[in-house]
Amino acid sequence: MSDNLPETPVEIVDTTATTSDTTSEKESKLKSAWLEFVSALNEEKVLPFLHETYEFMKSKLSKVDGELSEKHGDRYAKVKQTLQTLKIWYEEEMTKVKNGQTNPVDQTKTQWDKKAGEAGVSAAQKEAELKQRIIDLLPNK
């Protein structure tokens, strides 16, 4: 990497966070530090290394997938299919939530809150009824 770049993200933040700087100066310094970091990634061997690592991990995953498929056969295929189905369902639900529909977790929570409220009202009514019965059964003074 370039010699004038900070070595850690903390140093990037420290170089932009002097107390005398205005907000726009801080933003400008942070933006320039980020651009320097990105250009250093492109210039150096880091980006090709990341691509090589990605390809290596992809091939390892493919190998493990093949081994699991060979070892467990149909069971592994069923698990993969189930996970794929769940992934699709999750993505559809997240799309619905992002489009403004209510979240299934929130819907369930609302239903449970409503049921708990009804149970609380019912318990309070029964308690009041029992108190009145006890008062009616006690001898009057």
Side-chain angles (χ1 to χ4, degrees):
M1 288 213 198
S2 177
D3 292 334
N4 61 353
L5 285 179
E7 293 297 320
T8 65
V10 174
E11 290 178 15
I12 291 174
V13 172
D14 290 343
T15 61
T16 62
T18 59
T19 56
S20 62
D21 290 342
T22 64
T23 304
S24 62
E25 289 173 341
K26 288 179 186 176
E27 289 174 359
S28 173
K29 285 183 178 182
L30 185 59
K31 185 176 182 179
S32 66
W34 178 254
L35 291 174
E36 284 182 42
F37 174 72
V38 170
S39 67
L41 281 179
N42 290 331
E43 292 172 8
E44 299 292 328
K45 307 256 187 263
V46 174
L47 205 53
F49 173 74
L50 290 175
H51 286 293
E52 289 174 16
T53 304
Y54 172 75
E55 290 300 323
F56 174 75
M57 295 303 289
K58 193 173 168 183
S59 69
K60 279 291 204 187
L61 178 62
S62 176
K63 182 179 177 183
V64 168
D65 187 54
E67 289 173 0
L68 286 171
S69 182
E70 185 179 311
K71 184 176 181 178
H72 298 289
D74 288 343
R75 291 185 304 167
Y76 180 66
K78 287 178 185 177
V79 168
K80 279 180 62 174
Q81 182 61 40
T82 302
L83 290 174
Q84 185 63 28
T85 303
L86 289 173
K87 179 181 176 188
I88 291 168
W89 172 83
Y90 176 78
E91 289 170 351
E92 289 173 354
E93 291 300 318
M94 290 307 294
T95 303
K96 288 178 186 177
V97 169
K98 288 178 183 174
N99 291 334
Q101 292 183 2
T102 58
N103 172 333
V105 173
D106 291 340
Q107 288 176 342
T108 304
K109 183 181 180 302
T110 303
Q111 290 172 350
W112 281 97
D113 288 346
K114 183 179 177 184
K115 287 180 181 179
E118 291 170 355
V121 168
S122 177
Q125 289 172 344
K126 293 286 183 182
E127 180 185 3
E129 183 181 313
L130 286 173
K131 281 182 181 179
Q132 187 59 45
R133 288 171 107 186
I134 291 172
I135 290 172
D136 291 343
L137 292 174
L138 290 175
N140 292 335
K141 290 185 179 181

